Amino acid sequence: MVLSERQTKILAWLKQAGGHLSSQELTDSFNVSVQTIRKDLNELSDQGLVQRVHGGIRLPFHNRNLSFQSRQVINLNAKRAIGQKVADLLPEGATIFLGIGTTPQQVALALVDHPGLQVITNNLNAAMTLCHNPNIETLLTGGRIRPSDQDLMGEDATHFLRRFQVNFGIFGIGGMSPQGDLMDFSPEESHLSRAIIENSDQRILVADNSKYLRKAPVRTGTLADVDLFVTDQITTPIATLCEAANVELRY
């Protein structure tokens, strides 16, 4: 399901409001009926994007990530723009890691006409996309398939990544703390991201603005581990964190 413009605005407002909104606020702001807002909230709740509470909605508490299908539609245009910015940075003949998640998937989609790369990935969607470009050599890790996330995980996948030293390591995150900690939802995800960070000449973090202040339980690293942060919009807290960590910021 693709989110409507109003549903996208509801999610953005919910985060800005500190994680709670009343149904009355929504109906008044959008000048629509209670039934229309209720339908929007039910659909957002069904996808796990909000939690219904008496009189309104709140942000859900997640120890696990949202479903892959839900993440595919959240901030989709922002992720597409990020993907294109990263694709434009990669010179012909470069070697890259491409990590898990829906934003790296958009990087892969932006590479379908690239003149030539070697890509090492555990992202099944990225690999299937890249195989349509005969100028890209794609190496897929082994490991255990996560059907829910459409990727490969485990020791085999991590060990495979550590066999390489690449020009660019491109990876996403589950969330970012107010202090600039990079967070993931499982130790396996964290181990894979660490392998990308530690075996890349230039580390490129790709994440849209919704990841800032989003909670996830496993600490993978900090912004100081990143050379370039490509995002969709810059807020003052993000700019301050990147400046303190000497991270180049593009949007």
Side-chain angles (χ1 to χ4, degrees):
M1 172 185 168
V2 177
L3 299 184
S4 68
E5 181 180 358
R6 186 172 56 246
Q7 289 170 337
T8 300
K9 289 179 178 179
I10 289 171
L11 288 177
W13 186 15
L14 180 60
K15 184 176 179 181
Q16 293 169 1
H20 186 277
L21 285 172
S22 71
S23 298
Q24 189 62 54
E25 287 177 300
L26 293 167
T27 55
D28 291 346
S29 176
F30 291 104
N31 193 28
V32 296
S33 68
V34 173
Q35 290 77 12
T36 297
I37 286 296
R38 184 180 295 123
K39 181 176 182 291
D40 283 333
L41 301 187
N42 286 339
E43 290 177 354
L44 291 171
S45 178
D46 289 343
Q47 294 189 69
L49 302 177
V50 305
Q51 183 176 348
R52 297 298 304 270
V53 295
H54 180 69
I57 54 171
R58 71 180 183 190
L59 287 173
F61 296 103
H62 289 296
N63 287 324
R64 296 186 301 171
N65 206 351
L66 298 174
S67 71
F68 187 83
Q69 289 75 19
S70 295
R71 286 181 283 131
Q72 280 184 308
V73 299
I74 298 174
N75 291 342
L76 179 57
N77 288 336
K79 293 174 182 178
R80 285 173 174 163
I82 292 168
Q84 190 58 59
K85 289 183 180 72
V86 173
D88 292 342
L89 292 172
L90 302 176
E92 183 177 357
T95 57
I96 71 170
F97 287 135
L98 196 54
I100 61 173
T102 55
T103 306
Q105 180 189 7
Q106 291 301 320
V107 175
L109 288 166
L111 292 173
V112 292
D113 295 318
H114 197 280
L117 294 168
Q118 183 185 62
V119 180
I120 302 100
T121 186
N122 67 319
N123 187 321
L124 292 174
N125 282 288
M128 292 299 294
T129 297
L130 295 172
C131 73
H132 294 288
N133 185 339
N135 299 314
I136 294 181
E137 178 186 14
T138 304
L139 304 178
L140 187 62
T141 73
R144 173 179 54 82
I145 293 177
R146 289 197 303 181
S148 60
D149 292 83
Q150 300 175 19
D151 53 29
L152 292 155
M153 303 296 288
E155 292 184 8
D156 288 341
T158 303
H159 179 71
F160 188 82
L161 294 183
R162 291 191 181 279
R163 293 171 58 188
F164 297 87
Q165 181 69 30
V166 304
N167 302 125
F168 302 94
I170 302 161
F171 68 103
I173 51 172
M176 184 185 297
S177 77
Q179 296 77 34
D181 293 318
L182 309 181
M183 311 301 293
D184 281 301
F185 283 93
S186 75
E188 287 184 316
E189 292 175 350
S190 180
H191 293 329
L192 283 158
S193 292
R194 286 306 311 176
I196 291 174
I197 289 168
E198 293 167 7
N199 293 274
S200 302
D201 298 333
Q202 184 172 9
R203 290 75 53 90
I204 302 176
L205 174 63
V206 292
D208 66 78
N209 70 90
S210 70
K211 297 299 178 69
Y212 181 59
L213 302 184
R214 186 175 182 224
K215 294 184 181 297
V218 182
R219 184 177 181 273
T220 293
T222 72
L223 271 174
D225 295 319
V226 176
D227 299 298
L228 173 63
F229 180 17
V230 182
T231 187
D232 58 317
Q233 58 179 279
I234 296 177
T235 62
T236 299
I238 289 291
T240 300
L241 288 170
C242 287
E243 182 177 4
N246 195 30
V247 175
E248 182 182 355
L249 189 57
R250 295 195 187 187
Y251 70 103

